[in-house]
Amino acid sequence: MNHSSANPLPPLDTLRAFEAAARGGSFSAAATALNITHGAVSRQVAKLEHWLGLKLFDRQARGVAMTPEGQRLYLRTNEAFALLADNSDRWTESRGSAVVRLSTIPSVCGLWLMPRLKKFESGKPSLRISLSADHRHVDLADDGIDLAIRCGRGAIPSRISLQLFEEYCFPIAAPQLAREIGVTGDAARLLDQPLIHDSDAAGWRAWFMAQSLDYKPRPHDRRFEDYNLVLDAAMNGLGVALARPPLAADLIRQGKLVMLDQRMALNPSSYWLDRPPGAVRDAAASLARRICTEAQVPADAVAQFLTAER
């Protein structure tokens, strides 16, 4: 397969999976070493073979054997990884049976997970949570992710999903702006202010619709990609935001943001716990139960989530 000079290197995750399988002599050994599933190793190796246009392993009943092309690549990969390992101040990703890889968006990571991270890790058995926070829609199985928390409107076909909680939203603002606007009155008064929202204004539309008003984003409204920035903008008096409990709950309790209206509306988006299909590792199951306990998800729903195959 030909590749442009702008992308001359194969993906690093595929090389890691290949090197671990070559060193251990099987995909199962690689899965244990990398703390991912057998299937994830197999997919990464297949992706690398497709990228290179070469067969790297002969699949056998009791493991794998490198082809001559695989042996040459293994020598080069070992040399490259050894050079990287010479950096004395490098950061090494935690691995092991007690490590759980959890993916989420930055707002959930900073506003909901971080305040609870120590609690989630310190139960019995103790866990180490490896967090990945970004807005990308990742392939959980291929990326070796055990669990993911996301905000969305339903289950995703390629994942097994469990609804954690819904949001009943209401308007909030910085204390000084709240005093100027007033914390009671007609909902239409808020349309005189810049309204702050993240990439999806559906929450504001739902709130105004519940008050029999129409809302469409306007030029003087402010849009930010992440809800962390929405709250920062509101705390700095740049406009009125929509509180999304429980993400905004701590800031409201601290008095940094003030409730402008008692009326609430259900956000069309809710929070979901996802996992890839297949067996769930013990450590990942423990973390899922702790997250669900915090979110007050019924135990029978959690059990079904952990045992479901599709």
Side-chain angles (χ1 to χ4, degrees):
M1 178 174 290
N2 294 323
H3 297 278
S4 69
S5 59
N7 185 27
L9 297 175
L12 179 58
D13 283 349
T14 66
L15 289 173
R16 287 177 61 196
F18 163 74
E19 189 275 338
R23 176 166 32 88
S26 71
F27 290 171
S28 296
T32 301
L34 297 176
N35 196 32
I36 59 178
T37 65
H38 180 284
V41 173
S42 179
R43 284 188 290 271
Q44 292 287 8
V45 171
K47 185 187 296 184
L48 179 59
E49 289 180 323
H50 178 72
W51 196 97
L52 295 171
L54 298 171
K55 185 178 180 181
L56 301 174
F57 290 111
D58 287 321
R59 278 68 169 174
Q60 300 176 343
R62 293 183 177 273
V64 292
M66 283 183 284
T67 64
E69 292 81 5
Q71 291 173 352
R72 285 193 289 271
L73 180 62
Y74 180 55
L75 291 174
R76 293 175 182 176
T77 304
N78 261 344
E79 292 174 359
F81 284 179
L83 287 173
L84 291 172
D86 281 342
N87 294 319
S88 58
D89 293 330
R90 70 189 185 282
W91 175 82
T92 302
E93 182 183 9
S94 298
R95 297 178 186 173
S97 60
V99 176
V100 185
R101 297 187 67 186
L102 175 63
S103 174
T104 187
I105 56 177
S107 57
V108 172
C109 183
L111 297 169
W112 195 79
L113 273 174
M114 282 299 182
R116 297 164 173 82
L117 196 63
K118 185 176 181 180
K119 177 180 179 180
F120 288 155
E121 289 187 330
S122 61
K124 293 184 179 181
S126 61
L127 303 173
R128 177 66 182 270
I129 301 172
S130 176
L131 280 175
S132 172
D134 60 43
H135 290 284
R136 293 182 305 123
H137 181 76
V138 299
D139 186 308
L140 302 185
D142 282 355
D143 286 8
I145 301 297
D146 294 296
L147 299 168
I149 299 177
R150 63 179 169 85
C151 186
R153 302 194 185 195
I156 295 178
S158 60
R159 304 180 179 187
I160 295 173
S161 303
L162 172 66
Q163 188 179 56
L164 286 177
F165 43 75
E166 296 179 309
E167 293 180 323
Y168 285 85
C169 302
F170 52 88
I172 51 175
Q176 181 175 346
L177 183 58
R179 287 192 291 270
E180 295 172 8
I181 299 173
V183 295
T184 58
D186 190 341
R189 77 192 192 286
L190 300 183
L191 292 171
D192 296 330
Q193 305 295 325
L195 299 180
I196 309 170
H197 60 85
D198 56 15
S199 57
D200 186 355
W204 270 122
R205 284 193 289 269
W207 190 84
F208 278 112
M209 186 180 297
Q211 321 314 322
S212 301
L213 294 170
D214 290 330
Y215 169 71
K216 294 181 179 179
R218 305 155 302 177
H220 65 281
D221 292 336
R222 296 181 182 270
R223 174 188 177 277
F224 297 95
E225 186 63 29
D226 191 72
Y227 189 64
N228 277 311
L229 297 177
V230 170
L231 295 178
D232 286 341
M235 285 189 289
N236 283 282
L238 298 180
V240 178
L242 203 60
R244 295 172 53 188
L247 301 187
D250 288 343
L251 295 176
I252 295 171
R253 281 194 295 268
Q254 295 164 11
K256 295 179 180 179
L257 291 167
V258 176
M259 188 176 191
L260 286 178
D261 201 298
Q262 298 283 337
R263 289 166 288 199
M264 300 184 182
L266 178 64
N267 191 339
S269 295
S270 55
Y271 293 87
W272 297 80
L273 182 65
D274 293 345
R275 68 171 180 87
V280 184
R281 296 191 305 113
D282 290 344
S286 294
L287 178 58
R289 292 188 188 97
R290 294 171 197 181
I291 290 172
C292 291
T293 296
E294 186 73 14
Q296 299 182 348
V297 178
D300 57 343
V302 180
Q304 183 176 358
F305 169 73
L306 292 175
T307 57
E309 298 194 7
R310 283 289 173 186

